Amino acid sequence: MGHAPWWQRGIVYQVYPRSFQDSNGDGVGDLKGILRRVDYFGWLGVDAVWLSPIYPSPMADFGYDVADYRGIEPVFGTLDDFSELVAALHGRGLKLILDLVPNHTSDRHPWFVASRSGRSDPKRDWYIWRDAAPDGGPPNNWLSTFGGSAWEWDAATGQYYYHAFAREQPDLNWRNPAVRRAVYDAMRFWLDRGVDGFRVDVMWHLLKDPAWRDNPPNPAYDGSQPEFQRLLEVNTTDQPDVHEIVAEMRALIDEYDDRVLIGEIYLPIERLVAYYGRDLAGAHLPFNFQLILTAWDAGRIAGLVERYEAALPAGAWPNWVLGNHDKPRFASRVGPAQARVAAMLLLTLRGTPTLYYGDEIGMRDVPIPPGMVHDPWEKNEPGMGFGRDPQRTPMQWDASALAGFTTGTPWLPLADDRAACNVEVLSDDAGSILALYRQLIELRRTSPALSLGTYRTVAAEGGVFAYERRYDGASMLVALNFGDQPDRRIELPPGDRPGRVLASTHGDRQGETVAGALTLRPDEGVIVSLTG
């Protein structure tokens, strides 16, 4: 498999640094903590570690409000700590992907402080400033993702500035070439320090309609969705000329050997795939979140995979994401039995999989008491269930009172099930979800059919989704029962000899011979080698 780049063969593991491992007892995870757990990544079998933002930040949005693109937030450590972590990962054959947050900065970033200082400041046009509407209100109807208007009045200079997220996160003006150069220089700073690529935050937000037109109403809005979905974001996201910026980022990445560009893009498949760029000169991996967004139903998931495969540009490499720091944990969404089926799906579909820390041990969302809420979205739209703190709680390493995460008070509460749901306990259980993840990762690593092979749907009826992966004569059948119905029968593709079971989500059947048909038990996924 040496001809394929690492980001095609490998598995990405997202670390939310605040919640992974605390090394100094302040209750917040840090770089030294990640370094302490670096052998875990190799033991689990992943290939790349993606870090959510670690830049200096006032933490209005917990690192996504960047105050300096070239430093490390002291709560996480120092640049020396970062260099030590890069060296430790590289020394174990692992890659490091860094979050890049180019759409907006903190309002305390020196660029915005200068921009806000007066209309004549050279950096005024580095951000998006507009005069008030004739009635004195905001320039248009654009809404913040976190609720309310996306425009904030600045009395000192008599204009509004635009913020797609919190008011402490003013959007940069990416139509200004000086902004582009400054961010590209920051990218080079980290690439020169050994970073193996970037995950670009809200890539589809980077440009806005230059005519500042209102967004039209969303006819599907019924009040249960976040307020910003009251409007269709046709003039604030996914502008046609954003692809020029993506191509520039890719060209920069290509100046360095063996690096990857990943884009965070919440768009329908047909618009998402445009971010691969003309002649595949855009993002290597425009993140595909459809498994998170699609109802957990065999027929719908099968249809999703077919549509995605059909929409991919020729030569584009697919990718799949099951969980992240912005969405409820999958085990909470589908339950523990189907979380195992989901793991098999993620690690056997064609394309690069991304894991979210803790999913491999079945972590679930943790209820957050009102007095412990940190997320600005939850504070702006309280009680609606949009808050992201529940999926960001500390990693559960062992059965101790503080789960091995800290010796102090954790910044978010720990799960009630931490005594049983933790790495130490589950690593000793051959039937645990952690053992299943390790088995699936090893199968993927050793099987070209699963890591690089072609994809073909075999069956998607009766609550079952099945597909075949092929590579150089080797063939694997993956069959997944999306429900608790017993004895679901799948006809095997025609062949000269019986198949052999390589893995079951139930932790048994390995080595079982299958001839003619495969029978699935409730909530069971099975991988069958059809080539002996």
Side-chain angles (χ1 to χ4, degrees), residues 289-305 320-323 328-349 433 437 462-465 467 478-485 505 522-525:
F289 298 117
Q290 298 301 313
L291 288 180
I292 298 176
L293 304 175
T294 302
W296 193 245
D297 171 84
R300 293 191 184 189
I301 297 295
L304 157 66
V305 177
W320 298 94
V321 181
L322 203 59
R329 284 197 179 268
F330 216 80
S332 290
R333 178 180 164 192
V334 302
Q338 282 294 309
R340 299 170 75 98
V341 174
M344 184 170 283
L345 175 72
L346 177 70
L347 291 165
T348 58
L349 282 172
I433 189 171
Y437 265 94
V464 170
F465 175 29
Y467 46 94
V478 182
L480 307 169
N481 187 351
F482 274 62
D484 57 5
Q485 311 92 339
T505 55
D523 301 306
E524 183 178 31

Side-chain angles (χ1 to χ4, degrees), residues 454-472:
T454 58
Y455 168 90
R456 182 179 72 88
T457 300
V458 172
E461 299 178 355
V464 170
F465 175 29
Y467 46 94
E468 186 178 9
R469 302 292 311 280
R470 281 184 168 272
Y471 185 92
D472 195 24

Side-chain angles (χ1 to χ4, degrees), residues 159-177:
Q159 282 188 313
Y160 283 89
Y161 68 84
Y162 176 74
H163 57 93
F165 296 91
R167 66 175 177 270
E168 297 91 348
Q169 294 170 285
D171 279 40
L172 285 162
N173 175 16
W174 272 83
R175 298 190 186 279
N176 184 330

Side-chain angles (χ1 to χ4, degrees), residues 397-466:
W397 293 104
D398 60 37
S400 63
L402 298 173
F405 167 70
T406 184
T407 57
T409 302
W411 78 286
L412 283 175
L414 292 155
D416 289 342
D417 67 356
R418 60 188 179 276
C421 177
N422 64 71
V423 172
E424 185 176 71
V425 167
L426 297 181
S427 64
D428 290 333
D429 179 359
S432 70
I433 189 171
L434 179 57
L436 175 65
Y437 265 94
R438 291 190 71 213
Q439 180 187 22
L440 293 170
I441 290 169
E442 179 63 18
L443 271 176
R444 184 182 182 90
R445 180 183 299 280
T446 57
S447 168
L450 291 179
S451 58
L452 297 173
T454 58
Y455 168 90
R456 182 179 72 88
T457 300
V458 172
E461 299 178 355
V464 170
F465 175 29

Side-chain angles (χ1 to χ4, degrees), residues 30 33 44 72 154 160 191 194 198 203 209 227 243 248 250 256 262 286 292 299 324 327 336 347 401 458 482 486:
D30 47 46
L44 185 60
I72 301 292
D154 181 64
Y160 283 89
L191 290 165
F198 295 99
M203 180 181 274
D209 174 36
E227 183 191 10
H243 298 290
E248 289 176 356
R250 171 62 181 274
Y256 296 79
I262 302 170
I292 298 176
N324 64 30
K327 299 297 180 182
L347 291 165
V458 172
F482 274 62

Side-chain angles (χ1 to χ4, degrees), residues 23-34:
S23 70
N24 60 7
D26 65 358
V28 177
D30 47 46
L31 293 175
K32 284 187 180 295
I34 299 170

